[in-house]
Amino acid sequence: MLNLDSIDEIFSKHSINAVIHFAAMKAVGESMQLPLLYYKNNMIGIINLLIAMEKYHVYNLVFSSSCTVYGEPSKLPLTEYDHTGNISNVYGRTKYFIEEMLKDISKADLNWNIIALRYFNPVGAHVSGKIGEDPTKKFTNLMPYISQVAIGKKPVLEIYGSDYDTVDGTGVRDYIHVMDLATGHIAALKKIMSERLGIKFYNLGTGKGWTVLQLISIFEKVNKVKVPFVIKARRVGDISSMYADVSLAETDLKWKASRTIEDMCRDFWRWQTLNPNGYKTKL
Ligand code: UD1
C-alpha cells in the first residue's frame, strides 16, 4: 500500500469495479508509541489507493473505519449522526482524518461512491477454525488475550479498571462476530454497486454492550475453561462504555448481525485450540 507503483500495476492488469480497503495498523497502544508509523501506514496507504483508483476511474470504495472516531460518547447508543473527532489516540485519529479526507474528495468529485464502515469490537473467528486472529505484537485486544490465558500461554488476564460507571465496574463494548462483519461488507458492496451515494457512514455492531467480566464469564462457560484475572488500573485513553445504534445499517444495507456472544467465544476458542501457535508452524 505504501508503494504507488505496485498498486498502479494491479489496477493496470485487472479490471476492477470496486475496492474494499482493510489494510491498516490498529493497535491503540502502539499508535501512541509509534505515531509516525501509524500516520505513514494508514494515511499514505489510503492516499496511494485513492490516487490509483482515480487514475483508473474506479470510484466504488468500502473503507474500514472504526467506532473510535466517536471519541468519548456523550450519549449511548452511538448513531452515525453523533459527533466525531474528539479522539484520544493516534490510531483513532488516522481513521478520523481519513473519513474527513473521503468526505472532501467525494464533495470535489461526484463520481466517488464510498461507504465507510465504523466497526465496533470485532471478535470471533471463521467457524472452520482455520482463519482467525494471530496477534504478533504485545498489544493484544481482549478476546485474544482471554484465549491465550485459557490455553496457558499467558498466566493471567489483566482487567483494566473495575471502577467505571457500568453494571460491574468494567468497560462495556459492542462485540461483533467477524463473520457478521464480513457479511456487512458484502451488503455495503451491493449498496455502492447499485446506487449513487457520494459518501455514507454505517455502524457495524450488534447494538448490545458487554462488560469485560461478562465476556470472561461467557467465554469460560461455553468453552469449559478457566480464565484467571487480576484487576489493574484503567488503561490510558480507554473509554468506559460504547455500543452502537445499528438501525441505519439495518434499514439502508438490509444487514443485521446474527451471531451471538456465545458464537463469538466458541468460534474464537476453536481457532485458538486448533492453531495454538497461530499461523506459525510448530516450533
Ligand atoms: C480499540 C478501539 C477500536 C479498535 C480496537 C483495535 C476505542 C474505543 N476502540 O478497541 O476502535 O478497532 O481498539 O485495536 O478506541 N481490556 C482488558 N484487558 C486486556 C485488554 C482489554 O481489561 O488485556 C478491556 C479494555 O479496557 C476494554 C475492553 O477490554 O474495556 C476491550 O478492549 P480492546 O479489545 O483492547 O478493544 P478497545 O480498546 O475497545
Side-chain angles (χ1 to χ4, degrees):
M1 296 301 295
L2 297 182
N3 185 340
L4 183 52
D5 292 339
S6 307
I7 302 178
D8 194 289
E9 197 186 325
I10 295 169
F11 278 86
S12 71
K13 279 189 185 155
H14 303 277
S15 167
I16 296 173
N17 297 321
V19 176
I20 304 181
H21 176 56
F22 294 112
M25 301 185 92
K26 62 134 191 124
V28 172
E30 184 183 50
S31 76
M32 300 304 282
Q33 290 174 10
L34 302 168
L36 206 48
L37 179 70
Y38 270 68
Y39 285 121
K40 180 178 145 197
N41 266 309
N42 294 4
M43 307 295 301
I44 298 179
I46 182 93
I47 289 172
N48 282 344
L49 177 67
L50 293 168
I51 291 171
M53 288 177 73
E54 193 175 47
K55 179 174 165 193
Y56 289 90
H57 305 290
V58 180
Y59 292 105
N60 295 317
L61 172 69
V62 178
F63 172 68
S64 303
S65 190
S66 169
C67 65
T68 195
V69 298
Y70 293 114
E72 179 78 45
S74 51
K75 64 163 187 52
L76 289 167
L78 283 154
T79 79
E80 288 80 351
Y81 307 105
D82 286 326
H83 180 263
T84 59
N86 187 19
I87 302 154
S88 57
N89 65 79
V90 171
Y91 154 74
R93 270 194 285 279
T94 67
K95 293 290 171 186
Y96 170 72
F97 292 152
I98 293 168
E99 281 198 359
E100 294 302 299
M101 187 170 71
L102 295 176
K103 284 183 199 167
D104 288 335
I105 64 162
S106 52
K107 250 184 242 153
D109 182 345
L110 300 181
N111 282 309
W112 284 105
N113 218 17
I114 300 173
I115 288 184
L117 296 173
R118 292 177 178 157
Y119 304 176
F120 278 68
N121 284 61
V123 295
H126 190 267
V127 70
S128 65
K130 289 183 179 164
I131 313 170
E133 190 176 352
D134 178 17
T136 51
K137 296 182 178 172
K138 70 181 169 84
F139 303 94
T140 309
N141 289 103
L142 180 58
M143 187 168 291
Y145 210 103
I146 289 179
S147 194
Q148 289 184 4
V149 171
I151 206 166
K153 281 185 168 279
K154 298 232 160 64
V156 66
L157 173 77
E158 296 187 345
I159 296 182
Y160 303 136
S162 62
D163 57 350
Y164 286 109
D165 183 17
T166 63
V167 282
D168 57 26
T170 63
V172 168
R173 295 291 185 276
D174 183 341
Y175 297 97
I176 173 170
H177 196 295
V178 66
M179 296 308 295
D180 278 328
L181 206 64
T183 61
H185 288 75
I186 295 170
L189 208 49
K190 281 187 183 147
K191 182 90 176 163
I192 51 170
M193 298 308 280
S194 62
E195 265 177 64
R196 251 335 35 252
L197 298 170
I199 183 161
K200 287 268 188 183
F201 300 88
Y202 294 104
N203 290 339
L204 292 190
T206 63
K208 187 163 171 29
W210 299 92
T211 67
V212 177
L213 284 172
Q214 286 168 339
L215 188 66
I216 295 171
S217 154
I218 297 166
F219 194 96
E220 289 186 324
K221 199 165 152 215
V222 301
N223 297 320
K224 302 184 178 53
V225 292
K226 276 276 151 226
V227 181
F229 62 82
V230 288
I231 305 288
K232 292 279 179 175
R234 292 181 179 197
R235 185 170 62 175
V236 179
D238 246 352
I239 276 158
S240 165
S241 296
M242 234 188 190
Y243 51 91
D245 180 323
V246 289
S247 52
L248 194 65
E250 245 181 277
T251 318
D252 280 15
L253 305 180
K254 315 277 177 278
W255 169 91
K256 194 176 185 322
S258 64
R259 278 102 173 157
T260 64
I261 193 85
E262 286 81 8
D263 295 332
M264 301 176 209
C265 293
R266 208 177 285 121
D267 291 345
F268 196 93
W269 185 239
R270 186 178 305 108
W271 150 255
Q272 178 74 77
T273 45
L274 289 176
N275 308 276
N277 296 314
Y279 289 104
K280 290 177 280 302
T281 47
K282 286 191 182 70
L283 297 172

